[in-house]
Amino acid sequence: QRLKAAVHYTVGCLCEEVEEDKDVQFSKQSIAAISEIAFRQCGTAGSSAECFLILYRHAKRTTVTTDDVKLLARRSNSLLKYITQKSEELASSNMEQKEKKKKKKSSSAKGERTPREQEAAMTENEDSNMA
């Protein structure tokens, strides 16, 4: 009951924020309906997560992958789309970072200086010339 009341309170707060931003009003009945739907959805997700946990233990896996999360979110098309989009953004960002590291390693292995190192060396030469 306390958890359900907490969900209802949180939904009420979110509805108040939307009311201020969008200049709309929510009735008490609509807030109660949204709260009930959110609570039931969490229950469904929780039982699905519990099933996944059982399967993981059976398969002796210890890592949850993005594909596993997508499978859990499959009942909500908008949530699945959002998770897929964020997953692709993260993968793209990770690839860019790996490429930058490779370039940096290869340039330092060849004895080349990075732009910052070149600038520092020029400043050091200028300082020694002034002395």
Side-chain angles (χ1 to χ4, degrees):
Q1 289 294 6
R2 289 176 64 192
L3 182 58
K4 201 170 200 178
V7 169
H8 183 74
Y9 174 77
T10 303
V11 168
C13 291
L14 291 170
C15 287
E16 285 178 6
E17 287 180 24
V18 171
E19 285 176 343
E20 292 172 9
D21 289 346
K22 303 294 181 186
D23 196 29
V24 294
Q25 289 189 340
F26 291 91
S27 68
K28 290 182 180 181
Q29 294 85 4
S30 63
I31 292 173
I34 294 168
S35 299
E36 185 64 28
I37 291 168
F39 189 78
R40 287 184 186 181
Q41 189 67 28
C42 289
T44 302
S47 62
S48 295
E50 191 175 9
C51 290
F52 276 106
L53 177 62
I54 292 167
L55 291 173
Y56 271 88
R57 286 184 181 158
H58 179 72
K60 297 181 181 163
R61 289 179 56 193
T62 56
T63 304
V64 177
T65 66
T66 54
D67 289 335
D68 299 325
V69 176
K70 288 178 191 176
L71 187 60
L72 184 61
R74 73 189 179 278
R75 291 188 180 111
S76 170
N77 288 334
S78 59
L79 180 59
L80 180 60
K81 183 178 177 182
Y82 179 79
I83 290 171
T84 302
Q85 177 187 352
K86 290 297 176 186
S87 172
E88 290 170 358
E89 287 174 13
L90 286 171
S92 173
S93 176
N94 287 342
M95 290 299 291
E96 289 173 7
Q97 288 178 353
K98 285 180 182 179
E99 288 176 14
K100 286 181 183 177
K101 284 182 181 179
K102 282 183 181 179
K103 287 180 182 178
K104 191 173 184 179
K105 281 184 180 179
S106 66
S107 67
S108 63
K110 293 178 183 177
E112 297 175 6
R113 294 182 176 173
T114 64
R116 284 189 178 159
E117 291 172 337
Q118 290 173 353
E119 186 177 318
M122 288 175 55
T123 305
E124 189 176 299
N125 287 339
E126 289 172 0
D127 289 345
S128 64
N129 289 339
M130 293 179 123

